[in-house]
Amino acid sequence: QVQLVESGGGLVQPGGSLKLSCVASGSIGSIVAMGWYRQFPGKQRELVATLSNMGYTNYADSVKGRFTISRDNAKNTVYLQMSRREPEDTADYYCYAAEAGEVYWGQGTQVTVSS
């Protein structure tokens, strides 16, 4: 089992920056990738960014060049640095961790982009 706890959500003005954190605990040795999804009201979750243990990254087209995913293995933490935020980025953001045959989710953190 893997437990994930996100933090860092909140209100940010358009064009501003925000950094989300996700701390993993439990059987973290089996994790092969971590990342972030987001969910808009009434929509399914969509991938924002992913980072594999091999260092491979993948981003949604809508966030390329604006968001950066990174990981601190010593802290068992994955980050999502969000820059040049747009109102369309307003959503609930969920951290995930994947191992063979299983995906774990955090509880989500809300991000609102508004002036």
Side-chain angles (χ1 to χ4, degrees):
Q1 288 284 330
V2 175
Q3 294 79 43
L4 303 170
V5 178
E6 303 111 328
S7 62
L11 174 66
V12 63
Q13 292 188 340
S17 298
L18 198 66
K19 189 173 185 177
L20 304 182
S21 301
C22 174
V23 179
S25 61
S27 301
I28 60 174
S30 59
I31 296 174
V32 296
M34 293 184 69
W36 296 88
Y37 274 67
R38 64 186 178 183
Q39 188 169 20
F40 302 107
K43 303 290 185 180
Q44 290 187 330
R45 290 182 190 180
E46 63 178 39
L47 177 69
V48 177
T50 189
L51 174 60
S52 75
N53 285 359
M54 300 299 292
Y56 169 79
T57 59
N58 186 42
Y59 294 92
D61 288 341
S62 59
V63 306
K64 284 180 180 177
R66 300 189 299 121
F67 292 10
T68 302
I69 189 170
S70 61
R71 184 171 177 173
D72 186 333
N73 290 327
K75 297 181 179 179
N76 300 323
T77 301
V78 66
Y79 303 97
L80 185 68
Q81 177 68 52
M82 302 179 289
S83 303
R84 293 187 283 133
R85 298 304 304 274
E86 302 171 352
E88 293 73 23
D89 294 321
T90 296
D92 293 323
Y93 286 72
Y94 295 88
C95 173
Y96 82 93
E99 60 180 26
E102 192 73 57
V103 178
Y104 301 93
W105 295 96
Q107 80 285 358
T109 185
Q110 187 175 55
V111 175
T112 301
V113 183
S114 175
S115 56

